[in-house]
Amino acid sequence: MIKNLDEGLSSCAIFLDLAKAFDSVSHKILLRKLHCYGIRGKALELFKSYLSSRTQFVKLPNGIKSSLTKVEFGVPQGSILGPLLFLLFINDLPCATNLYIKLFADDTFLCAQNKDFSSLQNEVNAELEKVFIWLASNKLTLNIKKSKLMIITKKQNIPNFCVKINGSLLEKCKSYKYLGVVIDENLKWDAHIDYITPKIAKACGALARLRNCTSMEVLLNVYHALVHSYLRYGILIWGNASQSVLDPLQILVNKAARIMVSAPFGNIDLNPAYDYLKILNVTKTFLLETGKYHYKLVKARGGGLRSKKCFWPI
């Protein structure tokens, strides 16, 4: 989408939400797709046995139970095979549309771009009709209320943009949390920082309550679980935001470090505290994760780290 903005294109981002996606997978359709993917013979029989002969019942608080009912839809949740089978089930969705599409479990992201809003609207509506036909053919249901669209553009005067799927109007939003990262229509990260700072503030409160009654090892475990996990997640995307945007987050990370080492509040150098705790601030965490990503990318391409060709093609 950033590339589209640089090229003067307007983008329409669509976030589709599938209703009870894992519970709606048809066993017959799934097995047919597995056969098409080359899973046949004993392997296919194994999957068929795994999915068949499953039953369920309802138990009320007073102990009354319903009769057993055969389960013909859904992949077992909480299992290792459940997510994998669902991914195989929806793997052919990109073949049904010309929209740019990314799939992650039941979260589906689609995008189209054009210089002209009218052409963009017509394209999106036509392609979403194809998506709906695919969903209906695969017996999946779309949650219209939770599905949203977002217009990303540099243009000031945006006309009324109407996108429908199966006759239902998609709601336009200014920001959307996709895979734990809040994306806004200006491709800025203020909304995401506002989303994670209250969670880290609560973690600082937990550290303050634990400081005087537990060991440093436990404090560091709490820090990595409740602070660093939010700090590290998605930082490759939002970590290069302006310093003014990142400052509230850095203040909270500093507060967590102060609490763990019982450092006084005020304008003091916290680098010794970071060194003692062996943790990194926001900027250094971003640089570390960027370096790790670059190393993995170069290694995957089969290049050497000393190769001149490997440093700047990203």
Side-chain angles (χ1 to χ4, degrees):
M1 290 185 287
I2 295 176
K3 182 181 178 182
N4 292 338
L5 289 179
D6 292 339
E7 295 177 354
L9 300 173
S10 299
S11 300
C12 177
I14 301 166
F15 305 92
L16 297 183
D17 184 89
L18 299 178
K20 298 182 179 180
F22 280 67
D23 296 329
S24 302
V25 173
S26 168
H27 294 171
K28 291 183 180 179
I29 297 177
L30 175 59
L31 291 171
R32 195 183 311 139
K33 291 188 178 187
L34 291 177
H35 183 271
C36 292
Y37 292 147
I39 302 175
R40 299 167 186 172
K42 294 293 184 181
L44 186 61
E45 289 297 321
L46 179 63
F47 280 110
K48 185 176 181 180
S49 175
Y50 177 72
L51 294 170
S52 62
S53 301
R54 291 183 176 272
T55 57
Q56 66 182 15
F57 67 93
V58 177
K59 182 179 179 181
L60 299 178
N62 57 9
I64 298 177
K65 300 179 182 179
S66 68
S67 59
L68 290 174
T69 302
K70 187 178 180 180
V71 178
E72 297 181 352
F73 288 83
V75 291
Q77 297 192 41
S79 64
I80 296 175
L81 284 177
L84 177 60
L85 291 174
F86 181 78
L87 289 175
L88 290 171
F89 187 79
I90 64 170
N91 189 56
D92 59 314
L93 173 56
C95 300
T97 176
N98 292 323
L99 295 174
Y100 174 83
I101 185 168
K102 283 291 182 181
L103 302 172
F104 189 90
D106 58 339
D107 290 309
T108 305
F109 168 77
L110 305 100
C111 185
Q113 58 282 328
N114 204 301
K115 288 186 177 180
D116 179 63
F117 280 112
S118 178
S119 299
L120 180 60
Q121 177 177 286
N122 292 336
E123 179 186 357
V124 171
N125 278 289
E127 292 300 322
L128 283 181
E129 188 64 30
K130 298 177 184 177
V131 172
F132 177 77
I133 292 174
W134 183 92
L135 292 172
S137 301
N138 288 271
K139 301 183 179 181
L140 293 175
T141 305
L142 189 66
N143 192 331
I144 295 293
K145 291 184 178 180
K146 291 186 178 180
S147 299
K148 309 290 182 182
L149 74 90
M150 183 189 301
I151 302 299
I152 300 170
T153 182
K154 288 183 178 179
K155 297 180 180 179
Q156 298 296 325
N157 298 321
I158 303 176
N160 185 26
F161 203 86
C162 178
V163 172
K164 294 182 178 181
I165 184 166
N166 191 34
S168 299
L169 189 67
L170 285 184
E171 182 182 350
K172 184 180 176 182
C173 65
K174 293 186 177 181
S175 65
Y176 188 88
K177 187 174 73 171
Y178 179 69
L179 301 180
V181 177
V182 180
I183 303 171
D184 75 0
E185 61 183 356
N186 298 313
L187 297 185
K188 296 183 178 180
W189 301 109
D190 304 69
H192 181 70
I193 300 301
D194 291 342
Y195 167 69
I196 62 176
T197 47
K199 299 179 182 297
I200 295 180
K202 291 181 180 179
C204 289
L207 288 170
R209 289 189 291 272
L210 291 171
R211 177 180 58 186
N212 297 323
C213 61
T214 190
S215 65
M216 180 60 71
E217 181 182 1
V218 173
L219 288 177
L220 283 171
N221 286 336
V222 172
Y223 171 84
H224 284 289
L226 302 181
V227 177
H228 188 68
S229 58
Y230 283 107
L231 181 63
R232 183 172 175 264
Y233 184 77
I235 197 170
L236 282 174
I237 304 172
W238 55 264
N240 62 343
S242 64
Q243 193 59 46
S244 60
V245 174
L246 297 176
D247 277 343
L249 185 58
Q250 184 59 64
I251 290 171
L252 285 173
V253 176
N254 289 343
K255 183 178 180 180
R258 289 176 188 271
I259 291 172
M260 288 190 287
V261 299
S262 299
F265 284 87
N267 189 17
I268 63 172
D269 183 15
L270 285 175
N271 286 323
Y274 279 101
D275 292 340
Y276 173 74
L277 296 169
K278 297 182 180 180
I279 61 175
L280 300 175
N281 60 24
V282 176
T283 301
K284 290 182 178 179
T285 301
F286 171 64
L287 293 175
L288 174 63
E289 295 301 320
T290 303
K292 288 163 62 178
Y293 173 77
H294 182 80
Y295 174 80
K296 292 178 181 178
L297 186 64
V298 171
K299 191 174 181 180
R301 290 178 176 178
L305 288 176
R306 295 184 180 181
S307 171
K308 293 182 180 179
K309 294 182 180 180
C310 72
F311 274 94
W312 306 116
I314 300 177

